[in-house]
Coordinates of all heavy atoms in Angstrom, one line a residue:
P1 N -1.8 6.4 66.5 CA -1.0 5.3 65.9 C 0.5 5.7 65.7 O 1.4 4.9 66.0 CB -1.6 5.1 64.6 CG -3.0 5.5 64.7 CD -2.9 6.7 65.6
A2 N 0.7 7.0 65.3 CA 2.1 7.4 65.1 C 2.8 7.5 66.5 O 4.0 7.1 66.6 CB 2.2 8.8 64.4
V3 N 2.2 8.1 67.5 CA 2.8 8.2 68.8 C 3.1 6.8 69.3 O 4.2 6.6 69.9 CB 1.8 8.9 69.8 CG1 2.4 8.9 71.2 CG2 1.6 10.4 69.3
A4 N 2.2 5.8 69.1 CA 2.5 4.5 69.6 C 3.7 3.9 68.9 O 4.5 3.1 69.5 CB 1.2 3.6 69.4
L5 N 3.8 4.1 67.6 CA 4.9 3.6 66.8 C 6.2 4.2 67.4 O 7.2 3.4 67.6 CB 4.8 4.0 65.3 CG 6.0 3.7 64.4 CD1 6.2 2.3 64.3 CD2 5.7 4.3 63.0
Y6 N 6.3 5.5 67.6 CA 7.5 6.1 68.1 C 7.8 5.6 69.5 O 9.0 5.3 69.8 CB 7.4 7.6 68.1 CG 7.1 8.2 66.7 CD1 6.2 9.2 66.5 CD2 7.7 7.6 65.6 CE1 6.0 9.7 65.2 CE2 7.5 8.1 64.3 CZ 6.6 9.1 64.1 OH 6.4 9.6 62.9
E7 N 6.8 5.4 70.3 CA 7.0 4.9 71.7 C 7.6 3.5 71.7 O 8.4 3.1 72.4 CB 5.7 5.0 72.5 CG 5.3 6.4 72.9 CD 4.0 6.4 73.7 OE1 3.2 5.4 73.6 OE2 3.7 7.4 74.3
S8 N 7.1 2.7 70.7 CA 7.6 1.3 70.6 C 9.1 1.3 70.2 O 9.8 0.3 70.4 CB 6.8 0.5 69.6 OG 7.0 1.0 68.2
A9 N 9.5 2.4 69.6 CA 10.9 2.5 69.1 C 11.8 3.2 70.2 O 13.0 3.5 70.0 CB 11.0 3.3 67.8
G10 N 11.2 3.4 71.4 CA 12.0 3.9 72.5 C 11.9 5.5 72.6 O 12.6 6.0 73.4
M11 N 11.1 6.1 71.8 CA 10.9 7.6 71.9 C 10.0 7.9 73.1 O 9.0 7.2 73.4 CB 10.4 8.1 70.6 CG 11.1 7.7 69.4 SD 12.8 8.3 69.3 CE 12.5 10.0 69.0
R12 N 10.2 9.1 73.7 CA 9.3 9.5 74.8 C 9.0 11.0 74.6 O 9.8 11.8 74.1 CB 9.9 9.2 76.1 CG 11.2 9.9 76.4 CD 11.8 9.4 77.7 NE 13.1 10.0 77.9 CZ 13.3 11.2 78.5 NH1 12.3 12.0 78.8 NH2 14.6 11.7 78.7
A13 N 7.9 11.4 75.1 CA 7.5 12.8 75.0 C 8.3 13.7 75.9 O 8.4 13.3 77.1 CB 6.0 13.0 75.3
V14 N 8.8 14.8 75.4 CA 9.6 15.7 76.3 C 9.1 17.1 76.3 O 9.6 17.9 77.1 CB 11.1 15.7 75.8 CG1 11.7 14.3 76.1 CG2 11.2 16.1 74.4
G15 N 8.0 17.4 75.6 CA 7.5 18.8 75.6 C 6.5 19.0 74.4 O 6.2 18.1 73.7
V16 N 6.1 20.3 74.3 CA 5.2 20.7 73.3 C 5.7 21.9 72.5 O 6.3 22.8 73.1 CB 3.8 21.0 73.9 CG1 2.9 21.6 72.9 CG2 3.2 19.8 74.5
R17 N 5.5 21.9 71.2 CA 5.9 23.0 70.4 C 4.7 23.7 70.0 O 4.0 23.3 69.1 CB 6.8 22.5 69.2 CG 7.4 23.7 68.4 CD 8.6 23.2 67.6 NE 9.7 22.8 68.5 CZ 10.7 22.0 68.2 NH1 10.8 21.5 67.0 NH2 11.6 21.7 69.0
P18 N 4.3 24.9 70.6 CA 3.0 25.6 70.3 C 2.9 26.0 68.8 O 3.9 26.5 68.2 CB 3.1 26.8 71.2 CG 4.1 26.4 72.3 CD 5.1 25.6 71.6
G19 N 1.8 25.8 68.2 CA 1.4 26.3 66.9 C 2.3 25.7 65.8 O 2.5 26.4 64.8
Y20 N 2.9 24.6 66.0 CA 3.9 24.0 65.0 C 3.3 23.8 63.7 O 3.9 24.0 62.6 CB 4.5 22.7 65.6 CG 5.5 22.1 64.7 CD1 6.8 22.5 64.6 CD2 5.1 21.0 63.9 CE1 7.7 21.9 63.8 CE2 6.0 20.3 63.1 CZ 7.3 20.8 63.0 OH 8.2 20.2 62.2
Y21 N 2.0 23.3 63.7 CA 1.4 22.9 62.4 C 0.6 24.2 61.9 O -0.5 24.5 62.3 CB 0.4 21.8 62.5 CG 1.2 20.5 62.9 CD1 1.2 20.0 64.2 CD2 1.9 19.8 61.9 CE1 1.9 18.9 64.5 CE2 2.6 18.6 62.2 CZ 2.6 18.2 63.5 OH 3.3 17.1 63.9
A22 N 1.3 24.9 61.0 CA 0.8 26.2 60.6 C -0.6 26.1 59.9 O -1.4 27.0 60.1 CB 1.8 26.9 59.6
E23 N -0.8 25.0 59.2 CA -2.1 24.9 58.4 C -3.3 24.8 59.4 O -4.4 25.2 59.0 CB -2.0 23.8 57.5 CG -1.9 22.4 58.1 CD -0.5 22.0 58.5 OE1 0.3 22.8 58.4 OE2 -0.3 20.8 58.8
T24 N -3.1 24.3 60.6 CA -4.2 24.1 61.5 C -4.0 24.9 62.8 O -5.0 25.0 63.6 CB -4.4 22.6 61.9 OG1 -3.2 22.1 62.5 CG2 -4.7 21.8 60.6

């Protein structure tokens, strides 16, 4: 749902940040 929200606002995926979420 969040990805869809951002895409509807004109955002697009440009890459991946490995291990960004430290808790998981």
